[in-house]
C-alpha cells in the first residue's frame, strides 16, 4: 500500500457558496467544478476549488440527515475529509481495514470518457475521514460524472501545495493516535517535543507517510498547566480535528502581501520579535523591514530556515485557520517561534511599563 500524497481536502461548511467566495476572492483559489443532486451527489452541494497542486472541496448538506449537516452542527465549518492518493484504492481499503481501520465507504468507481476514479473511505482521527483516491487516465479530471468540470483560468498561483495538517487531540489521546497511524497507515514518527510558554504547555508529535508527502502534526494539551489555545480549539470544535492547514508557498513575502491586500487577516507579531531575529536564526535572505511590516516569522533547524505566518480564523467558533510556510531547507515546523514571540511580547510590554503578569496574559494569544 503506497500513500503517494494528499489528493485533496474536503471541508464541510454551512454555506458552500459563501465559503467559496472567501477562498476565491481572498486566498486565490479558483472554482474548478461543482456537483449536487443533479450530478448524483444526493443531499449535498459541493464546489471544487484549486490553486496550483492544492485541491479543496467545499460541501454543504442540503438535508438535516446528510453527514455534512451533522458535522457542521457539532463542529462548525472544518476539514472533514483528508483524501490520500493511492495506486490501488480497493486494495488499500482492504489492507487498512484488516490492520484495524474503521470501514466507512466501500470502493466506488466514477467513470468518464477519458478518466476513471476509484474512491473508498476509512476512519482517521475524531470525525475526520480518509478518502483513498486512485486515478486512471486523465488525472486532471476530479470525479467524472459527479463533479461537473469548469474551465480554468491562467492565474499565477501564490500557494503551491499542502505542506502539513496540524491536528488537536484531547488529553491522553496523542500516543494512541500516533500508534494508530503507525500501525494502520504505516506512517513513521519523525519529530516530537514538549512546548512550555507563559504557564501553558503542550505535547507535539509529527507522523509522516513513507513517501514524505503526507505530514500530520499532532498536538495535545498538558493539563498540568493553565489552559491555552489547544484547549480552546477542542472546546469550540467539540473534540479532535484539524486546527490549521499548512500551505507551502515559494515566495511568502509576495503571497502575504497579496493576500493581506485582498482582506485576509493575519496574526500580528510584536516589533520586539525582530530586534534579535538574525542573532537567533542567522542571516535571513529577505528584507527585515518587510518581514516586520507583514509580521512574517522566521525559524531555523539543522537543515535551514523556514518563514511562516498564521491567518486569523475565518470561522465564528475561532477554530480552523491557515498557515503559509516557505521552506528554505528547514524540515521542522517553527516551534522556536513560540518562545521567541512570548519573549518579544514580554520585552515590549516591559518597555511600556506593563507588569510581568500582564505580559504573561498577553502572550497567551501566540499561535502554537
Amino acid at each position: 500500500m503506497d500513500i503517494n500524497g494528499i489528493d485533496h481536502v474536503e471541508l464541510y461548511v454551512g454555506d458552500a457558496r459563501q465559503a467559496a467566495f472567501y477562498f476565491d476572492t481572498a486566498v486565490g483559489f479558483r472554482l474548478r467544478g461543482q456537483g449536487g443532486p443533479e450530478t448524483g451527489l444526493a443531499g449535498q452541494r459541493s464546489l471544487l476549488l484549486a490553486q496550483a497542486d492544492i485541491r479543496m472541496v467545499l460541501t454543504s448538506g442540503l438535508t438535516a440527515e446528510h453527514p455534512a449537516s451533522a458535522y457542521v452542527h457539532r463542529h462548525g465549518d472544518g476539514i472533514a475529509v483528508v483524501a490520500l492518493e493511492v495506486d490501488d484504492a480497493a486494495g488499500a481499503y482492504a489492507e487498512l481495514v484488516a490492520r484495524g481501520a474503521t470501514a466507512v465507504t466501500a470502493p466506488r468507481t466514477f467513470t468518464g470518457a477519458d478518466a476513471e476514479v476509484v474512491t473508498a473511505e476509512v476512519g482517521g482521527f475524531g470525525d475526520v475521514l480518509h478518502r483513498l483516491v486512485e486515478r486512471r487516465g486523465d488525472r486532471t479530471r476530479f470525479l467524472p460524472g459527479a463533479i461537473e468540470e469548469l474551465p480554468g483560468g491562467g492565474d499565477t498561483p501564490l500557494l503551491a501545495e499542502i505542506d502539513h495538517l496540524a491536528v488537536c487531540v484531547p488529553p491522553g489521546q496523542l500516543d494512541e493516535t500516533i500508534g494508530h497511524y503507525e500501525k494502520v497507515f504505516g506512517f513513521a514518527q519523525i519529530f516530537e517535543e514538549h512546548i512550555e510558554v507563559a504557564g501553558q504547555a503542550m505535547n507535539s508529535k509529527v507522523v509522516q507517510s513513507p513517501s514524505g508527502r503526507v505530514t500530520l502534526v499532532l498536538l495535545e494539551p498538558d493539563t498540568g498547566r493553565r489552559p491555552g489555545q489547544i484547549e480552546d480549539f477542542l472546546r469550540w470544535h467539540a473534540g479532535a480535528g484539524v486546527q490549521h492547514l499548512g500551505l507551502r508557498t515559494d515566495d511568502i513575502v509576495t503571497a502575504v502581501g497579496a493576500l493581506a491586500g485582498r482582506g485576509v487577516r493575519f496574526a500580528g507579531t510584536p516589533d520586539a520579535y525582530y530586534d534579535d531575529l538574525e542573532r537567533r536564526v542567522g542571516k535571513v535572505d529577505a528584507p527585515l523591514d518587510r518581514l516586520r511590516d507583514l509580521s512574517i516569522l522566521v525559524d531555523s533547524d539543522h537543515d535551514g530556515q523556514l518563514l511562516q505566518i498564521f491567518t486569523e480564523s475565518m470561522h465564528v467558533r475561532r477554530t480552523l485557520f491557515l498557515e503559509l510556510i516557505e521552506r528554505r531547507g528547514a524540515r521542522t515546523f517553527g516551534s522556536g517561534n513560540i518562545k521567541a514571540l512570548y519573549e518579544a511580547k514580554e520585552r515590549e510590554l516591559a518597555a511600556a511599563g506593563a507588569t510581568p503578569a500582564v505580559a504573561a496574559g498577553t502572550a497567551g494569544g501566540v499561535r502554537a
Side-chain angles (χ1 to χ4, degrees):
M1 181 185 64
D2 295 322
I3 297 177
N4 303 320
I6 296 178
D7 186 88
H8 64 277
V9 294
E10 182 170 5
L11 281 72
Y12 285 168
V13 297
D15 188 328
R17 296 192 186 281
Q18 185 179 58
F21 180 80
Y22 172 80
F23 281 108
D24 183 318
T25 60
V27 191
F29 284 84
R30 294 295 176 256
L31 184 63
R32 294 290 182 257
Q34 59 186 356
E38 69 280 0
T39 63
L41 298 179
Q44 71 184 66
R45 173 65 56 197
S46 291
L47 301 177
L48 170 66
L49 282 73
Q51 182 171 180
D53 290 334
I54 309 166
R55 286 185 288 200
M56 176 187 300
V57 179
L58 304 174
T59 295
S60 292
L62 301 179
T63 66
E65 296 75 24
H66 192 276
S69 301
Y71 183 99
V72 171
H73 178 74
R74 180 178 182 188
H75 303 292
D77 292 4
I79 294 177
V81 180
V82 178
L84 306 175
E85 177 189 339
V86 297
D87 295 329
D88 178 357
Y93 174 82
E95 185 171 349
L96 288 170
V97 172
R99 293 181 182 180
T102 300
V104 177
T105 307
R108 178 183 177 187
T109 302
F110 299 83
T111 303
D114 54 358
E116 186 173 81
V117 178
V118 183
T119 68
E121 294 174 339
V122 298
F125 49 86
D127 288 335
V128 175
L129 307 179
H130 287 304
R131 178 175 298 138
L132 311 171
V133 182
E134 173 191 351
R135 299 190 177 278
R136 305 168 184 165
D138 184 353
R139 298 177 65 85
T140 66
R141 298 294 306 280
F142 185 73
L143 208 60
I147 295 291
E148 176 189 0
E149 306 278 343
L150 299 175
D155 294 354
T156 300
L158 294 168
L159 308 174
E161 64 180 357
I162 296 175
D163 184 87
H164 65 277
L165 296 99
V167 178
C168 295
V169 299
Q173 293 188 15
L174 179 60
D175 288 339
E176 175 186 346
T177 307
I178 292 291
H180 179 73
Y181 276 89
E182 290 176 331
K183 173 188 173 185
V184 176
F185 292 89
F187 283 30
Q189 182 179 319
I190 62 170
F191 185 75
E192 71 174 293
E193 65 182 332
H194 179 76
I195 302 169
E196 297 185 35
V197 62
Q200 304 174 25
M202 65 179 170
N203 298 309
S204 174
K205 295 186 178 183
V206 181
V207 291
Q208 192 173 75
S209 64
S211 67
R213 302 289 295 170
V214 183
T215 304
L216 301 179
V217 179
L218 291 124
L219 309 168
E220 172 193 65
D222 181 342
T223 56
R225 302 303 182 94
R226 71 179 180 87
Q229 291 185 19
I230 308 303
E231 286 94 343
D232 190 61
F233 174 90
L234 293 169
R235 179 163 63 99
W236 289 109
H237 186 265
V242 178
Q243 181 211 43
H244 71 260
L245 180 65
L247 303 175
R248 190 183 63 78
T249 175
D250 295 322
D251 183 351
I252 195 169
V253 171
T254 297
V256 173
L259 268 58
R262 298 173 183 173
V264 175
R265 294 172 61 91
F266 291 95
T269 303
D271 282 345
Y273 168 87
Y274 298 94
D275 293 345
D276 67 344
L277 177 61
E278 292 195 331
R279 178 196 61 77
R280 184 172 61 84
V281 303
K283 180 67 176 177
V284 181
D285 186 17
L288 289 183
D289 58 344
R290 187 62 173 152
L291 298 180
R292 186 192 301 264
D293 290 343
L294 295 173
S295 290
I296 294 172
L297 309 171
V298 185
D299 200 15
S300 63
D301 61 23
H302 294 300
D303 297 300
Q305 293 180 342
L306 64 84
L307 286 72
Q308 65 184 156
I309 193 170
F310 301 97
T311 71
E312 294 183 2
S313 177
M314 67 288 288
H315 303 292
V316 68
R317 296 196 191 192
R318 307 195 311 271
T319 49
L320 178 68
F321 56 92
L322 305 177
E323 174 187 358
L324 273 60
I325 184 168
E326 179 184 341
R327 293 193 179 276
R328 299 179 176 180
R331 301 174 63 187
T332 48
F333 302 90
S335 58
N337 278 321
I338 300 173
K339 182 179 180 182
L341 281 169
Y342 170 71
E343 292 176 342
K345 175 59 71 175
E346 191 173 51
R347 290 195 303 271
E348 188 174 71
L349 292 176
T355 65
V358 173
T362 307
V366 172
R367 289 287 186 202

